[in-house]
Amino acid sequence: MTKFLRKLADEKAPVFWCLGMLVFMILGYKTFSTVFLGKTGFSYDATFLRLSLLLIVILIMREIYRGEFCFYFRTKNMLKGFLLGWPLLLVMILNLIGTDFSRPIVLDGFVMTLSEYAIVGLYEEVLIRGFLVGHMMYHWKDDNRKVLKSVLWSSVIFGVLHLGNLFSGQGVATTLLQVSYSTILGIVFAAVYIRTKNLWSVAIIHGLIDFASGIEGIFEMPQATLEVAAGEGRMNLLSFLILLSVMLIGLVWGILMLRKKEEIQKLWS
């Protein structure tokens, strides 16, 4: 099996990447968790499943490549990753806008929400940036366009994977917006990873963004009033314009980060 996977990865890499996403992202997590784990606000089972799957991916790649491939869990360039990822931190702040922090925090809710989204960030970064971007850079190491191809292909795949939210009842318009949003975020995440070769920084930032988006889970939840609901409705257009601005900033910054060709070549050689 190891020889077969190595041959597939070397000779038919796109098939290998699609197989990895199918097994570990679509069937391994989304299908299994929906069918067997049910739908809950938080599930230790779902979090454990993500953790198990990412460990399996790491072990499989280690077995296939015998040290030739690395996910770069290291402290070197971690701070640089946080600094380069500043547009991503803007997204985190954007997710916090409108949150009422005067409410009491529930300790259980805080622990569960933080652990859930920390694992989500780690899980997705291992699969998308660690596995996809890392193996694309390895596979196209002799291609002068390896950086551009790795960033674009991995980001498009990251965005398209969010189409799966249609099957959970999410609206078409919301899902398409999420696909576009995730693709641009994917470009920034990939650029940060390629500039630093550090998976911890992008995993932590990803976890913080997701935690900020689900931060309501840490508070005692008061019943919403019609006045509050109406106020939130009026903010929709403004929120969209702010999000669009942040995405454009992120896209431009992602492109600028990739202009350091000599630095990237030296780092990945």
Side-chain angles (χ1 to χ4, degrees), residues 148-222:
L148 178 64
K149 290 164 69 174
S150 298
V151 170
L152 290 181
W153 277 110
S154 66
S155 301
V156 168
I157 291 172
F158 182 55
V160 169
L161 284 170
H162 289 79
L163 286 174
N165 291 329
L166 287 170
F167 298 100
S168 63
Q170 185 168 277
V172 175
T174 301
T175 301
L176 292 178
L177 178 62
Q178 193 175 39
V179 169
S180 303
Y181 161 91
S182 299
T183 300
I184 294 174
L185 281 183
I187 291 173
V188 184
F189 274 120
V192 172
Y193 182 57
I194 286 174
R195 281 288 304 274
T196 62
K197 231 177 183 182
N198 184 291
L199 198 59
W200 280 125
S201 57
V202 288
I204 291 171
I205 293 173
H206 195 146
L208 289 173
I209 291 173
D210 289 347
F211 175 68
S213 69
I215 200 167
E216 286 298 320
I218 76 173
F219 297 109
E220 289 184 6
M221 299 291 291

Side-chain angles (χ1 to χ4, degrees), residues 7-255:
K7 184 176 181 181
L8 182 67
D10 289 343
E11 297 180 6
K12 297 181 179 180
V15 176
F16 181 67
W17 301 329
C18 291
L19 182 63
M21 292 300 100
L22 177 65
V23 171
F24 292 101
M25 186 68 82
I26 300 174
L27 295 179
Y29 175 67
K30 289 189 179 296
T31 302
F32 186 89
S33 62
T34 300
V35 174
F36 296 102
L37 301 183
K39 298 178 180 179
T40 58
F42 175 85
S43 172
Y44 281 114
D45 292 335
T47 301
F48 179 76
L49 175 61
R50 290 190 189 98
L51 188 58
S52 300
L53 288 172
L54 71 86
L55 290 174
I56 290 171
V57 171
I58 292 171
L59 291 174
I60 288 176
M61 293 302 289
R62 181 178 179 181
E63 183 66 22
I64 291 174
Y65 281 95
R66 300 288 183 176
E68 294 179 39
F69 183 88
C70 182
F71 282 87
Y72 300 105
F73 286 107
R74 58 182 189 170
T75 56
K76 185 178 180 180
N77 288 336
M78 185 185 294
L79 178 58
K80 181 179 180 180
F82 292 136
L83 295 175
L84 289 176
W86 65 267
L88 299 169
L89 297 175
L90 287 181
V91 176
M92 180 193 73
I93 294 171
L94 182 61
N95 285 337
L96 295 174
I97 292 177
T99 302
D100 180 8
F101 288 98
S102 66
R103 292 169 292 169
I105 294 175
V106 179
L107 181 59
D108 288 351
F110 178 83
V111 172
M112 289 192 296
T113 303
L114 180 61
S115 59
E116 177 184 10
Y117 289 117
I119 296 299
V120 169
L122 181 60
Y123 167 73
E124 293 190 0
E125 290 309 310
V126 165
L127 284 173
I128 306 298
R129 260 57 68 175
F131 170 70
L132 272 185
V133 175
H135 193 264
M136 287 176 177
M137 290 291 287
Y138 176 87
H139 180 70
W140 287 320
K141 57 181 177 291
D142 297 322
D143 189 330
N144 292 330
R145 298 174 300 165
K146 61 180 179 290
V147 173
L148 178 64
K149 290 164 69 174
S150 298
V151 170
L152 290 181
W153 277 110
S154 66
S155 301
V156 168
I157 291 172
F158 182 55
V160 169
L161 284 170
H162 289 79
L163 286 174
N165 291 329
L166 287 170
F167 298 100
S168 63
Q170 185 168 277
V172 175
T174 301
T175 301
L176 292 178
L177 178 62
Q178 193 175 39
V179 169
S180 303
Y181 161 91
S182 299
T183 300
I184 294 174
L185 281 183
I187 291 173
V188 184
F189 274 120
V192 172
Y193 182 57
I194 286 174
R195 281 288 304 274
T196 62
K197 231 177 183 182
N198 184 291
L199 198 59
W200 280 125
S201 57
V202 288
I204 291 171
I205 293 173
H206 195 146
L208 289 173
I209 291 173
D210 289 347
F211 175 68
S213 69
I215 200 167
E216 286 298 320
I218 76 173
F219 297 109
E220 289 184 6
M221 299 291 291
Q223 285 193 325
T225 64
L226 292 176
E227 182 179 350
V228 171
E232 290 176 349
R234 289 194 296 270
M235 288 296 291
N236 283 341
L237 178 59
L238 178 59
S239 297
F240 173 76
L241 293 175
I242 294 174
L243 174 63
L244 181 61
S245 300
V246 171
M247 290 299 100
L248 289 175
I249 291 171
L251 180 60
V252 171
W253 180 246
I255 294 171

Side-chain angles (χ1 to χ4, degrees), residues 249-261:
I249 291 171
L251 180 60
V252 171
W253 180 246
I255 294 171
L256 290 175
M257 277 194 285
L258 298 176
R259 291 171 64 88
K260 299 283 187 177
K261 295 181 180 180

